[in-house]
mmCIF file of all heavy atoms in Angstrom:
data_model
loop_
_atom_site.group_PDB
_atom_site.id
_atom_site.type_symbol
_atom_site.label_atom_id
_atom_site.label_comp_id
_atom_site.label_asym_id
_atom_site.label_seq_id
_atom_site.Cartn_x
_atom_site.Cartn_y
_atom_site.Cartn_z
ATOM 1 N N ARG I 2 -43.638 20.027 83.845
ATOM 2 C CA ARG I 2 -44.208 21.243 84.429
ATOM 3 C C ARG I 2 -44.374 22.266 83.382
ATOM 4 O O ARG I 2 -45.344 22.864 83.144
ATOM 5 C CB ARG I 2 -43.510 21.705 85.592
ATOM 6 C CG ARG I 2 -44.249 22.518 86.544
ATOM 7 C CD ARG I 2 -43.347 23.055 87.660
ATOM 8 N NE ARG I 2 -42.876 24.398 87.364
ATOM 9 C CZ ARG I 2 -43.696 25.478 87.639
ATOM 10 N NH1 ARG I 2 -44.793 25.393 88.326
ATOM 11 N NH2 ARG I 2 -43.196 26.673 87.331
ATOM 12 N N ARG I 13 -55.119 29.148 76.505
ATOM 13 C CA ARG I 13 -55.714 30.402 76.932
ATOM 14 C C ARG I 13 -55.708 31.446 75.772
ATOM 15 O O ARG I 13 -56.689 32.140 75.562
ATOM 16 C CB ARG I 13 -54.924 30.848 78.154
ATOM 17 C CG ARG I 13 -55.095 32.264 78.541
ATOM 18 C CD ARG I 13 -56.518 32.585 78.971
ATOM 19 N NE ARG I 13 -56.877 33.954 79.242
ATOM 20 C CZ ARG I 13 -57.223 34.832 78.315
ATOM 21 N NH1 ARG I 13 -57.314 34.414 77.057
ATOM 22 N NH2 ARG I 13 -57.446 36.073 78.566
ATOM 23 N N GLU I 69 -46.449 33.679 66.284
ATOM 24 C CA GLU I 69 -45.494 34.143 67.305
ATOM 25 C C GLU I 69 -44.347 34.962 66.720
ATOM 26 O O GLU I 69 -43.929 35.898 67.400
ATOM 27 C CB GLU I 69 -44.832 32.842 67.838
ATOM 28 C CG GLU I 69 -45.817 31.815 68.552
ATOM 29 C CD GLU I 69 -46.128 32.073 69.954
ATOM 30 O OE1 GLU I 69 -45.706 33.131 70.476
ATOM 31 O OE2 GLU I 69 -46.733 31.217 70.575
ATOM 32 N N TRP I 77 -40.348 36.412 73.496
ATOM 33 C CA TRP I 77 -40.755 35.983 74.845
ATOM 34 C C TRP I 77 -40.585 34.458 74.930
ATOM 35 O O TRP I 77 -39.923 33.917 75.890
ATOM 36 C CB TRP I 77 -42.050 36.470 75.231
ATOM 37 C CG TRP I 77 -42.508 36.116 76.607
ATOM 38 C CD1 TRP I 77 -42.096 36.669 77.806
ATOM 39 C CD2 TRP I 77 -43.225 34.942 77.045
ATOM 40 N NE1 TRP I 77 -42.589 35.971 78.876
ATOM 41 C CE2 TRP I 77 -43.302 34.971 78.410
ATOM 42 C CE3 TRP I 77 -43.895 33.928 76.349
ATOM 43 C CZ2 TRP I 77 -44.004 33.958 79.113
ATOM 44 C CZ3 TRP I 77 -44.564 32.955 76.978
ATOM 45 C CH2 TRP I 77 -44.679 33.047 78.448
ATOM 46 N N LEU I 81 -37.628 31.809 77.339
ATOM 47 C CA LEU I 81 -38.030 30.978 78.489
ATOM 48 C C LEU I 81 -36.954 29.864 78.761
ATOM 49 O O LEU I 81 -36.351 29.411 77.857
ATOM 50 C CB LEU I 81 -39.378 30.332 78.178
ATOM 51 C CG LEU I 81 -40.563 31.255 78.094
ATOM 52 C CD1 LEU I 81 -41.748 30.429 77.656
ATOM 53 C CD2 LEU I 81 -40.835 32.035 79.293
ATOM 54 N N VAL I 83 -36.793 26.874 78.751
ATOM 55 C CA VAL I 83 -37.483 25.696 78.336
ATOM 56 C C VAL I 83 -36.795 25.189 77.060
ATOM 57 O O VAL I 83 -36.341 26.002 76.241
ATOM 58 C CB VAL I 83 -38.947 26.061 77.989
ATOM 59 C CG1 VAL I 83 -39.739 24.905 77.427
ATOM 60 C CG2 VAL I 83 -39.658 26.587 79.201
ATOM 61 N N GLU I 251 -33.983 32.612 63.424
ATOM 62 C CA GLU I 251 -33.758 33.855 64.144
ATOM 63 C C GLU I 251 -35.125 34.491 64.479
ATOM 64 O O GLU I 251 -36.145 34.346 63.737
ATOM 65 C CB GLU I 251 -33.045 34.826 63.158
ATOM 66 C CG GLU I 251 -31.814 34.177 62.492
ATOM 67 C CD GLU I 251 -30.646 33.932 63.452
ATOM 68 O OE1 GLU I 251 -30.655 34.671 64.548
ATOM 69 O OE2 GLU I 251 -29.684 33.167 63.149
ATOM 70 N N LYS R 14 -21.473 37.175 63.613
ATOM 71 C CA LYS R 14 -22.785 36.681 63.235
ATOM 72 C C LYS R 14 -23.139 37.128 61.807
ATOM 73 O O LYS R 14 -23.064 38.346 61.480
ATOM 74 C CB LYS R 14 -23.930 37.231 64.202
ATOM 75 C CG LYS R 14 -25.295 36.829 63.927
ATOM 76 C CD LYS R 14 -25.519 35.357 64.194
ATOM 77 C CE LYS R 14 -26.923 34.896 63.781
ATOM 78 N NZ LYS R 14 -27.122 33.471 63.928
ATOM 79 N N SER R 56 -30.295 33.165 69.668
ATOM 80 C CA SER R 56 -29.708 32.992 68.355
ATOM 81 C C SER R 56 -28.281 32.517 68.592
ATOM 82 O O SER R 56 -27.692 32.739 69.603
ATOM 83 C CB SER R 56 -29.846 34.319 67.720
ATOM 84 O OG SER R 56 -28.940 34.581 66.758
ATOM 85 N N ARG R 75 -30.984 30.790 80.373
ATOM 86 C CA ARG R 75 -32.189 31.618 80.202
ATOM 87 C C ARG R 75 -32.900 31.707 81.529
ATOM 88 O O ARG R 75 -33.675 32.639 81.834
ATOM 89 C CB ARG R 75 -33.040 31.092 79.091
ATOM 90 C CG ARG R 75 -32.334 31.219 77.725
ATOM 91 C CD ARG R 75 -33.340 31.109 76.639
ATOM 92 N NE ARG R 75 -33.953 29.781 76.497
ATOM 93 C CZ ARG R 75 -33.803 29.021 75.428
ATOM 94 N NH1 ARG R 75 -32.997 29.344 74.425
ATOM 95 N NH2 ARG R 75 -34.306 27.855 75.326
ATOM 96 N N TYR R 88 -48.295 39.035 74.700
ATOM 97 C CA TYR R 88 -49.485 38.465 74.082
ATOM 98 C C TYR R 88 -50.676 39.379 74.207
ATOM 99 O O TYR R 88 -51.132 39.632 75.262
ATOM 100 C CB TYR R 88 -49.776 37.131 74.722
ATOM 101 C CG TYR R 88 -48.808 36.007 74.291
ATOM 102 C CD1 TYR R 88 -47.790 35.740 75.126
ATOM 103 C CD2 TYR R 88 -48.989 35.409 73.051
ATOM 104 C CE1 TYR R 88 -46.905 34.711 74.659
ATOM 105 C CE2 TYR R 88 -47.997 34.387 72.693
ATOM 106 C CZ TYR R 88 -46.983 34.120 73.474
ATOM 107 O OH TYR R 88 -46.101 33.208 73.149
ATOM 108 N N GLU R 95 -52.299 38.215 83.845
ATOM 109 C CA GLU R 95 -52.010 36.881 83.267
ATOM 110 C C GLU R 95 -50.592 36.713 82.720
ATOM 111 O O GLU R 95 -49.890 35.746 82.877
ATOM 112 C CB GLU R 95 -53.009 36.586 82.074
ATOM 113 C CG GLU R 95 -54.387 36.217 82.667
ATOM 114 C CD GLU R 95 -55.318 35.989 81.522
ATOM 115 O OE1 GLU R 95 -55.445 36.934 80.546
ATOM 116 O OE2 GLU R 95 -56.088 34.969 81.486
ATOM 117 N N GLN R 100 -45.093 34.556 83.516
ATOM 118 C CA GLN R 100 -43.641 34.777 83.907
ATOM 119 C C GLN R 100 -43.343 34.232 85.141
ATOM 120 O O GLN R 100 -42.279 33.578 85.309
ATOM 121 C CB GLN R 100 -43.467 36.342 83.866
ATOM 122 C CG GLN R 100 -41.998 36.758 83.893
ATOM 123 C CD GLN R 100 -41.320 36.757 82.528
ATOM 124 O OE1 GLN R 100 -41.960 36.275 81.567
ATOM 125 N NE2 GLN R 100 -40.220 37.410 82.418
ATOM 126 N N ARG R 102 -44.587 31.747 86.707
ATOM 127 C CA ARG R 102 -44.629 30.260 86.833
ATOM 128 C C ARG R 102 -43.393 29.649 86.076
ATOM 129 O O ARG R 102 -42.911 28.590 86.414
ATOM 130 C CB ARG R 102 -45.903 29.778 86.137
ATOM 131 C CG ARG R 102 -47.099 29.924 87.039
ATOM 132 C CD ARG R 102 -48.388 29.615 86.312
ATOM 133 N NE ARG R 102 -49.513 30.058 87.045
ATOM 134 C CZ ARG R 102 -50.031 29.289 88.011
ATOM 135 N NH1 ARG R 102 -49.643 28.069 88.249
ATOM 136 N NH2 ARG R 102 -51.094 29.741 88.727
ATOM 137 N N PHE R 104 -40.368 31.387 85.714
ATOM 138 C CA PHE R 104 -39.142 31.713 86.331
ATOM 139 C C PHE R 104 -39.218 31.640 87.781
ATOM 140 O O PHE R 104 -39.967 32.351 88.456
ATOM 141 C CB PHE R 104 -38.724 33.118 85.859
ATOM 142 C CG PHE R 104 -38.480 33.282 84.395
ATOM 143 C CD1 PHE R 104 -39.412 33.712 83.486
ATOM 144 C CD2 PHE R 104 -37.284 32.831 83.885
ATOM 145 C CE1 PHE R 104 -39.113 33.805 82.125
ATOM 146 C CE2 PHE R 104 -36.920 32.819 82.528
ATOM 147 C CZ PHE R 104 -37.907 33.348 81.701
#
Side-chain angles (χ1 to χ4, degrees):
Chain I
R2 201 184 98 86
R13 166 64 187 85
E69 302 272 10
W77 180 80
L81 296 175
V83 176
E251 311 288 342
Chain R
K14 178 71 182 175
S56 150
R75 295 198 290 248
Y88 287 94
E95 285 176 310
Q100 189 84 346
R102 285 169 191 274
F104 293 100

